[in-house]
Amino acid sequence: DNERLREERNTLREEAEELRERADAASKEAEKKQELLSFVQAEVERLKTDMAEREEAIATPLRTQLTAAEDQLASVRASLAEAVSQRDAAVRERDASVARAEAAERQVAATEAEMRELLTEMDRQRKAAITFAQ
C-alpha cells in the first residue's frame, strides 16, 4: 500500500514538475508574445506618425498650388469679364456708328431727292422761260 502511495506521489510529483515546466514555458511564450505585441504597437504608432508627416509634406505644396491656381482662375475670370465688357462697349459703339451712318445715308438720299426735284423744277422753269422768251 505504501509502495503504491509512493509511486502515486512520485507520479504526481513528476506530473507537477511537468506542469510547472509547461507553465514556465507558457509564461515565457506569453512574455515573448507580449513583447512582440508591444513592439508591433510601437511600430504601428511610428508608421502612423510617419504617414501623417508624409501626408502633410505632400499636402502642403498641393495646397499652395491649389491656392495659386484658384488665384490665377480668379484673375482670368476678371480679365474675361473686362474683355466681355470691352467687347460689349465696342458692339454698342459699332451699332451707334452704323445707326449714324444709316441716318446720314438717309439724309444724303433725301438731299439728293430734293436736289433732283429742284433740278427738275429749275429745268421746267428754264424751259418755261425759253418758251416765254420766244
Side-chain angles (χ1 to χ4, degrees), residues 41-101:
Q41 286 174 333
E43 189 64 13
V44 165
E45 287 304 313
R46 186 190 68 74
L47 289 172
K48 282 182 182 178
T49 301
D50 187 46
M51 190 169 71
E53 289 171 355
R54 287 181 184 193
E55 284 175 350
E56 188 61 29
I58 291 169
T60 298
L62 291 177
R63 281 190 207 108
T64 302
Q65 289 176 346
L66 177 60
T67 301
E70 287 171 339
D71 292 347
Q72 188 175 11
L73 178 60
S75 174
V76 168
R77 282 184 177 151
S79 295
L80 177 61
E82 178 63 26
V84 167
S85 176
Q86 289 175 358
R87 181 206 62 198
D88 291 348
V91 166
R92 285 190 300 274
E93 188 176 325
R94 181 204 64 205
D95 290 348
S97 178
V98 167
R100 285 191 304 272

Side-chain angles (χ1 to χ4, degrees), residues 6-131:
R6 264 187 238 139
E7 283 179 25
E8 267 184 52
R9 188 178 67 200
N10 285 341
T11 303
L12 289 174
R13 279 185 188 161
E14 288 173 7
E15 287 177 3
E17 183 61 30
E18 191 178 305
L19 288 174
R20 250 183 276 161
E21 287 174 6
R22 276 201 216 149
D24 285 348
S27 177
K28 287 179 183 178
E29 186 65 27
E31 190 176 308
K32 286 180 184 178
K33 288 185 179 181
Q34 181 60 44
E35 287 175 6
L36 179 61
L37 177 63
S38 295
F39 171 77
V40 168
Q41 286 174 333
E43 189 64 13
V44 165
E45 287 304 313
R46 186 190 68 74
L47 289 172
K48 282 182 182 178
T49 301
D50 187 46
M51 190 169 71
E53 289 171 355
R54 287 181 184 193
E55 284 175 350
E56 188 61 29
I58 291 169
T60 298
L62 291 177
R63 281 190 207 108
T64 302
Q65 289 176 346
L66 177 60
T67 301
E70 287 171 339
D71 292 347
Q72 188 175 11
L73 178 60
S75 174
V76 168
R77 282 184 177 151
S79 295
L80 177 61
E82 178 63 26
V84 167
S85 176
Q86 289 175 358
R87 181 206 62 198
D88 291 348
V91 166
R92 285 190 300 274
E93 188 176 325
R94 181 204 64 205
D95 290 348
S97 178
V98 167
R100 285 191 304 272
E102 288 172 349
E105 285 176 8
R106 286 191 301 274
Q107 182 66 38
V108 166
T111 303
E112 286 175 347
E114 285 178 22
M115 295 288 263
R116 278 192 299 277
E117 285 177 21
L118 283 174
L119 288 173
T120 303
E121 178 62 25
M122 286 172 62
D123 192 42
R124 188 187 60 74
Q125 287 180 3
R126 183 183 58 82
K127 286 179 184 176
I130 291 174
T131 304

